[in-house]
Amino acid sequence: MARKVSGGIKGKSKKPVGPSIPANELNRSDRMVQALRIIDVGLRKQNIPEPAVELLKEARSPFQVLIMTILSLRTRDPVTVEAFNRLCSIYPDAKSLSTLDTDLIGKLIFPVGFYRTKAITIKRISQEIHDSGETEPPKSMEKLLQLPGVGLKTATLVRSAGWGIPDICVDTHVHRIVNRWGVVQTNSPDETYHAISRLVPEDHKSDVNRILVAFGQSICKPVSPFCSLCLLPSAYCDRVKVDKYR
């Protein structure tokens, strides 16, 4: 499954949609939105492809987005896609997966990372959804987090890529970059999620992960980032905890 180059932020309003942003956070909000716009344009000019998480859009249902997300954790893209296709081409929904033995699920998804644990998680999630009388995972964050093995990152991906609900998936790249910029000061991706959720307007939330993961993989790397190649003017980045750069 080919990774695509982003089509960019299109038709986005500069004004927040939904609850208004507190006055004392407007500067940080504007700064972050403008940074996203600058990076998005730069990535497209350099033909830098979208991150692997965009593969989730190829899934056919919110349930399949959930399954692919679980499979993708600590697993390379090609392995994830092959395992997903083996599993979901035969057992595409919660009803069919709920009837499988975990050993069979494990065989179908091998060699994804932690395949035995993931097989148990997939079985339990499928049973819970099917037993509830539903065919898809819930839309609400609260109910998604009640599913076995579903954390904040997985829940936001199901909401955004599965249900089309604006939300921010904060992984290690997003967490590192916004802290490096000095927009927030947080200690974990979960803390970062709660901090930037109120800074980013609704119509930009689903762009954050797509843009910053590609940026983090190609330029703003964890160790010794390519500051000489950075797409952002220096005013947007405080280089917090950057000791070495290229």
Side-chain angles (χ1 to χ4, degrees):
M1 194 178 294
R3 291 169 66 181
K4 301 176 182 179
V5 175
S6 167
I9 300 175
K10 297 180 179 179
K12 302 288 184 178
S13 168
K14 292 185 179 180
K15 295 183 179 180
V17 175
S20 60
I21 296 171
N24 63 339
E25 295 181 344
L26 276 175
N27 288 340
R28 285 192 293 157
S29 175
D30 290 343
R31 174 182 172 185
M32 186 160 178
V33 170
Q34 186 61 20
L36 290 171
R37 290 177 179 275
I38 293 169
I39 294 170
D40 192 42
V41 171
L43 292 174
R44 284 185 284 122
K45 284 183 178 178
Q46 295 182 27
N47 282 328
I48 294 174
E50 293 185 342
V53 71
E54 293 301 301
L55 294 173
L56 295 172
K57 293 179 179 178
E58 302 296 331
R60 293 187 295 275
S61 67
F63 176 76
Q64 290 189 4
V65 168
L66 174 56
I67 298 303
M68 186 179 259
T69 302
I70 292 168
L71 294 174
S72 70
L73 300 175
R74 299 193 181 185
T75 303
R76 293 183 299 110
D77 299 350
V79 175
T80 297
V81 173
E82 289 173 6
F84 172 79
N85 287 336
R86 279 196 303 273
L87 184 67
C88 288
S89 62
I90 308 172
Y91 308 101
D93 49 38
K95 180 180 179 180
S96 57
L97 276 173
S98 68
T99 65
L100 297 188
D101 183 89
T102 54
D103 287 341
L104 177 55
I105 296 175
K107 289 178 182 178
L108 288 169
I109 65 175
F110 181 83
V112 299
F114 306 99
Y115 69 94
R116 291 189 180 91
T117 300
K118 291 178 181 178
I120 295 170
T121 299
I122 289 170
K123 167 80 172 181
R124 290 180 62 197
I125 285 175
S126 300
Q127 284 181 320
E128 284 205 16
I129 293 174
H130 178 59
D131 291 348
S132 71
E134 302 292 337
T135 58
E136 302 292 351
K139 293 181 180 180
S140 78
M141 177 67 75
E142 180 183 3
K143 291 183 178 180
L144 278 168
L145 291 175
Q146 292 173 4
L147 291 175
V150 173
L152 188 57
K153 177 183 173 182
T154 298
T156 54
L157 283 173
V158 172
R159 280 167 55 81
S160 58
W163 287 113
I165 299 169
D167 211 338
I168 302 173
C169 173
V170 176
D171 65 356
T172 56
H173 291 289
V174 177
H175 169 64
R176 177 183 74 254
I177 291 169
V178 296
N179 273 273
R180 185 173 281 173
W181 287 350
V183 173
V184 297
Q185 295 179 357
T186 53
N187 297 313
S188 70
D190 284 7
E191 285 184 24
T192 299
Y193 170 81
H194 293 293
I196 66 174
S197 286
R198 63 177 183 265
L199 294 177
V200 180
E202 291 290 303
D203 56 352
H204 288 290
K205 284 187 174 181
S206 296
D207 294 312
V208 172
N209 187 274
R210 170 180 66 82
I211 294 170
L212 293 190
V213 170
F215 182 55
Q217 290 175 340
S218 59
I219 296 172
C220 197
K221 291 178 175 288
V223 180
S224 187
F226 289 100
C227 294
S228 61
L229 303 176
C230 189
L231 308 168
L232 280 177
S234 59
Y236 287 90
C237 181
D238 294 342
R239 289 186 183 175
V240 177
K241 295 184 180 179
V242 177
D243 299 319
K244 295 174 60 178
Y245 55 88
R246 290 170 277 181

